[in-house]
Amino acid sequence: MAVDTSPRSTTWTHVDGEWLPGNPPLIGPTSHAMWLGSTVFDGARWFDGIAPDLDLHCQRINRSALAMGLKPVKSAEEIAALAWEGVGKFDGATAIYIKPMYWGEHGSPGSIVSVDAESTRFALCLFEAPMGGHGGTSLTVSPYRRPSPETAMTEAKTGSLYPNSGRMIAEARNRGFDNALVRDLNGNVVETASSNVFLVRDGVVMTPAANRTFLAGITRARVIGLLRKAGFDVVEATLSVEDFLAADEIFTTGNYSKVVGVTRLDDRSLQQGPVTRKALELYMDWAHGRSESEE
């Protein structure tokens, strides 16, 4: 029986100069991206008539393309303009995920494995995806690790990194948790399987220092800046599992749900405390233009 390839929510994709509904067939069995993984993407959000930091997401997709050996074929400004054009195709009742993508169609001359930058293709996919996660999430320490820059393409937001995240989440859910707290090859906590992570202890906010083993996200940087501007002491540091187990609060940041409190870490229960709530409030106030812009 054939698999239903239709998307699970309303979806529009811009490719080769036109908008196509649904899930258009863009990659074939001989495409480099299909069998050798030369894909990069980014993700912004539209909700309540706004698309926070859309420009930064559009800039990052081009940096990811270069890191993958691809050739950006759209400027960040062109991608952002297309995103707003695409938003207009929806009814505005549901939040939208904005996903620009590049991939390679062919291997480079003389090598099947290395991608041919001149064969780079671009698509911009928008689909309905409600905002969620604000009821809290649970974490367990994953047995799997994040790779180092010497062992994987960690400088790019690439689809090839996500099977590792997927197995982290699957393993965590098999043990009754929503997501996983993830370490690098040295045993230091770096993020969750799908978002950046913060802890609060004695009023000090801490987050793993960017060490090139994980994506130090755009929402992470925005929240750090907003908290510091509001007077919080925010420290980027090398952190252990024990640091998180001793925390007063833990929360995550990411484009998909922005700021989410952690209510359980392994055997320890936590509350969505005042700093977590303040971080979400500050972000939403900034996003809706209710506070002074944070550069």
Side-chain angles (χ1 to χ4, degrees), residues 39-116:
T39 66
V40 295
F41 72 99
D42 217 287
R45 277 296 219 165
W46 177 94
F47 58 94
D48 298 342
I50 56 176
D53 284 326
L54 175 61
D55 57 337
L56 300 184
H57 288 281
C58 294
Q59 293 165 23
R60 189 172 65 182
I61 181 64
N62 282 356
R63 294 197 300 272
S64 289
L66 291 170
M68 178 60 74
L70 299 169
K71 179 181 178 180
V73 297
K74 297 282 187 186
S75 70
E77 293 77 14
E78 288 172 326
I79 297 170
L82 279 173
W84 282 111
E85 182 180 316
V87 165
K89 294 185 171 295
F90 294 80
D91 63 16
T94 304
I96 298 169
Y97 192 85
I98 300 170
K99 182 177 61 173
M101 309 174 71
Y102 287 112
W103 69 96
E105 188 62 35
H106 302 295
S108 61
S111 172
I112 293 175
V113 174
S114 178
V115 68
D116 180 359

Side-chain angles (χ1 to χ4, degrees), residues 77-269:
E77 293 77 14
E78 288 172 326
I79 297 170
L82 279 173
W84 282 111
E85 182 180 316
V87 165
K89 294 185 171 295
F90 294 80
D91 63 16
T94 304
I96 298 169
Y97 192 85
I98 300 170
K99 182 177 61 173
M101 309 174 71
Y102 287 112
W103 69 96
E105 188 62 35
H106 302 295
S108 61
S111 172
I112 293 175
V113 174
S114 178
V115 68
D116 180 359
E118 296 302 319
S119 73
T120 300
R121 297 188 68 194
F122 170 81
L124 175 64
C125 179
L126 284 73
F127 59 89
E128 290 182 340
M131 303 289 285
H134 297 140
T137 190
S138 60
L139 301 177
T140 182
V141 178
S142 179
Y144 305 121
R145 304 290 182 96
R146 283 287 185 227
S148 68
E150 297 83 5
T151 61
M153 189 71 70
T154 61
E155 302 292 347
K157 187 173 175 68
T158 168
S160 62
L161 292 174
Y162 279 77
N164 193 35
S165 294
R167 69 172 183 164
M168 292 170 180
I169 292 172
E171 193 275 338
R173 290 186 174 179
N174 284 339
R175 293 194 283 116
F177 296 87
D178 298 318
N179 208 325
L181 192 68
V182 180
R183 296 164 289 174
D184 62 17
L185 295 178
N186 292 323
N188 301 310
V189 172
V190 287
E191 60 176 352
T192 78
S194 58
S195 56
N196 295 131
V197 66
F198 291 71
L199 67 81
V200 183
R201 187 170 185 186
D202 298 329
V204 177
V205 183
M206 306 185 76
T207 192
N211 64 1
R212 299 174 63 214
T213 70
F214 70 100
L215 187 71
I218 290 169
T219 305
R220 171 187 180 272
R222 182 63 67 187
V223 169
I224 289 172
L226 291 168
L227 284 170
R228 284 175 174 165
K229 188 175 182 181
F232 289 88
D233 186 8
V234 184
V235 179
E236 298 179 73
T238 300
L239 299 173
S240 66
V241 170
E242 290 71 27
D243 289 323
F244 280 86
L245 289 171
D248 301 321
E249 300 176 46
I250 302 173
F251 64 89
T252 67
T253 63
N255 173 63
Y256 210 88
S257 299
K258 304 309 179 185
V259 179
V260 177
V262 173
T263 56
R264 182 163 60 115
L265 173 57
D266 282 330
D267 295 331
R268 185 166 176 226
S269 296

